[in-house]
Amino acid sequence: MNLTVKQRVGLELQRSLRRTQEQLHPLKTLFWECTLRCNMNCRHCGSDCKVAPAVKDMPAEDFLRVIDTITPHVDPHKTFIIFTGGEALLRDDLEQVGLELYRREYPWGVVTNGFLLDEKRLASLMASGMHSITVSIDGFEEQHNWIRRHPQSFEKASAAIKLLAQQKDLLWDVVTCVNPRSYPQLKEFKEYLISLGVPAWRLFSIFPMGRAANDPDLQLTDEQYRGLLNFIKDSRENDPRIDASYSCEGFLGPYEQRVRNHFFYCRSGVEVASIRCDGAISGCTSVRSHMDQGNIYKDDFWDVWQNRFQTMRDRSWAKKGQCKDCKVWRYCEGSGLHLYDDDGDLLVCHYHRIKSN
Amino acid sequence: MRIKFLKAKNWLLLALMGLLGFSSCTKMMYDCPPDEYRGYNDSVVDKP
């Protein structure tokens, strides 16, 4: 399977679009890593977070102070703020922060493992203006509890999803990290999610970072990886009951626009920023700390966003190693930044995985 | 002026992509914000 003429035309347009976006760098998404505390101990955790982490939760007023410096420069209606962690719902002041964002007219959302999302908590989040919520569930009970290392995690995540399915006026979806244990049951698991009322399902493959870096059992083989993409492609073409899509990572060659609603383009530092628990300013939260661009306790966030981030907006430095002579470089530009190690080397190339037969 | 030009170019590229049937927005919740702010939730108790 090769790129079609139509795909190439679209990719060229996307490339031009990316160039203008790099110059405009509109801040569309801001992640707040509001805690590194977590009530689980997931095998695939990219944050490598802990029950009692070394970094304390960022005080809410510190984050809101940054928001107030950003507000004059952005249209709050077009800047989406996402609370992530750790497990964001472990913070009991999340609703207060959310309400403050709501008053400033920012849409905001939460990414959660669902463990603490009961009826009361959901009502209180909704009453604080929550706009969206994402629940992680990685497979059926056996696979999910294995990867989460918690015996009740599946039951709680399923209960949270059932609650969300009853809500109106809320944007929500489910994310699944596909691994060799859950891969064989993808079809059945999709039926399960549909039975719970899930409208949208994002599927990830686990990238070698955090704890997953040292666990080869979590990585799909190249054949399984292609199988995952074919599964999503087939679902999108033939099953309107659920909007399945692949995550944002990596250029996928012939699968472009077939497994996602959009062409690949790493938005980290171009449209997406994050404020980590320790105050670090970065692009996407999954990008390693050596790419941090500043710190809210030392720098002005907006000044950093406007004047730094060059390494994320100009990816020419990534044209090395396996990317140096790659024929799809112009469309990929070095894949997702979260796939780079501390030395700035690409850990995994999805395009090569697809091409390897 | 430069910003206006870039925004116009952006708009044209998006329009062209749309005409060719390509989506440029991810429609994923935290990769791309909603095209339009969906307004306030009716359930919010403390409206601004």
Side-chain angles (χ1 to χ4, degrees), chain A residues 67-317:
Chain A
I67 294 301
D68 286 335
T69 65
I70 293 171
T71 303
H73 306 286
V74 300
D75 177 353
H77 296 181
K78 293 181 177 172
T79 307
F80 208 174
I81 296 175
I82 314 289
F83 302 155
T84 181
E87 171 50 38
L89 294 187
L90 280 169
R91 279 190 76 123
D92 54 15
D93 61 352
L94 219 53
E95 286 85 344
Q96 288 164 259
V97 181
L99 197 53
E100 288 300 323
L101 294 176
Y102 181 82
R103 287 182 175 135
R104 292 159 174 82
E105 302 195 8
Y106 285 95
W108 63 273
V110 183
V111 182
T112 175
N113 58 35
F115 197 86
L116 296 171
L117 192 70
D118 57 15
E119 210 164 331
K120 191 178 165 193
R121 191 73 198 263
L122 180 59
S124 113
L125 290 164
M126 292 290 285
S128 307
M130 182 172 71
H131 183 90
S132 78
I133 188 163
T134 295
V135 176
S136 311
I137 185 165
D138 293 332
F140 283 116
E141 186 159 16
E142 188 187 333
Q143 294 82 32
H144 183 75
N145 290 352
W146 170 76
I147 205 164
R148 301 276 161 171
R149 292 195 274 218
H150 195 297
Q152 284 178 288
S153 57
F154 177 82
E155 179 194 332
K156 293 281 190 178
S158 293
I161 290 168
K162 285 177 193 165
L163 265 180
L164 293 174
Q166 296 164 19
Q167 297 299 314
K168 292 175 182 170
D169 205 20
L170 180 68
L171 202 59
W172 67 282
D173 70 356
V174 161
V175 294
T176 296
C177 287
V178 182
N179 63 77
R181 291 192 185 210
S182 60
Y183 174 77
Q185 286 120 16
L186 278 176
K187 277 184 189 167
E188 294 81 2
F189 190 59
K190 182 174 86 168
E191 293 302 323
Y192 175 69
L193 294 181
I194 290 168
S195 76
L196 294 183
V198 174
W201 183 27
R202 274 180 293 150
L203 296 102
F204 286 69
S205 44
I206 298 168
F207 53 90
M209 186 181 164
R211 283 178 212 140
N214 302 315
D215 195 342
D217 290 344
L218 294 175
Q219 306 299 327
L220 296 174
T221 64
D222 291 348
E223 191 183 348
Q224 288 171 329
Y225 185 70
R226 285 190 294 271
L228 169 63
L229 295 180
N230 285 328
F231 168 78
I232 298 170
K233 178 174 164 281
D234 182 60
S235 186
R236 291 172 67 82
E237 288 171 356
N238 302 311
D239 194 347
R241 295 176 299 164
I242 192 166
D243 180 13
S245 63
Y246 185 59
S247 67
C248 56
E249 61 183 69
F251 177 72
L252 302 175
Y255 290 96
E256 285 295 317
Q257 288 263 345
R258 289 176 169 150
V259 293
R260 296 183 282 227
N261 294 323
H262 58 98
F263 286 115
F264 168 70
Y265 140 43
C266 178
R267 291 168 163 78
S268 181
V270 181
E271 298 175 6
V272 177
S274 64
I275 297 173
R276 290 191 210 276
C277 214
D278 61 359
I281 300 167
S282 188
C284 163
T285 45
S286 300
V287 173
R288 284 164 205 249
S289 58
H290 75 281
M291 288 195 195
D292 288 353
Q293 302 293 309
N295 191 296
I296 63 158
Y297 294 110
K298 289 187 291 187
D299 306 297
D300 176 69
F301 179 92
W302 192 250
D303 180 55
V304 172
W305 180 250
Q306 288 295 80
N307 299 309
R308 298 187 197 170
F309 283 96
Q310 287 86 352
T311 51
M312 300 194 193
R313 292 169 192 165
D314 176 359
R315 308 280 173 99
S316 54
W317 59 268

Side-chain angles (χ1 to χ4, degrees), chain A residues 17 21 102-103 105 169, chain B residues 10 23 28-29 40-41 46:
Chain A
L17 193 64
Q21 288 296 83
Y102 181 82
R103 287 182 175 135
E105 302 195 8
D169 205 20
Chain B
N10 224 11
S23 166
M28 290 196 285
M29 288 188 300
Y40 297 112
N41 268 325
D46 187 359

Side-chain angles (χ1 to χ4, degrees), chain A residues 6 10 13-14 16-17 20-21 23-24 28-29 31 77-78 80 82 102-103 105 107 111 126-127 129-134 169 171 173 202 248 257 261-263 267, chain B residues 2-3 6-7 9-11 13-14 16-17 20-48:
Chain A
K6 189 180 175 187
L13 288 170
Q14 175 66 47
S16 300
L17 193 64
T20 59
Q21 288 296 83
Q23 293 176 72
L24 289 167
K28 290 186 175 180
T29 306
F31 285 96
H77 296 181
K78 293 181 177 172
F80 208 174
I82 314 289
Y102 181 82
R103 287 182 175 135
E105 302 195 8
V111 182
M126 292 290 285
M130 182 172 71
H131 183 90
S132 78
I133 188 163
T134 295
D169 205 20
L171 202 59
D173 70 356
R202 274 180 293 150
C248 56
Q257 288 263 345
N261 294 323
H262 58 98
F263 286 115
R267 291 168 163 78
Chain B
R2 183 175 152 270
I3 298 289
L6 287 170
K7 284 185 175 174
K9 188 180 166 192
N10 224 11
W11 185 88
L13 286 164
L14 286 169
L16 200 49
M17 286 178 83
L20 290 170
F22 295 122
S23 166
S24 59
C25 176
T26 65
K27 294 181 187 169
M28 290 196 285
M29 288 188 300
Y30 51 83
D31 287 341
C32 184
D35 290 338
E36 288 180 28
Y37 186 57
R38 287 156 58 94
Y40 297 112
N41 268 325
D42 290 339
S43 52
V44 175
V45 287
D46 187 359
K47 287 183 191 278

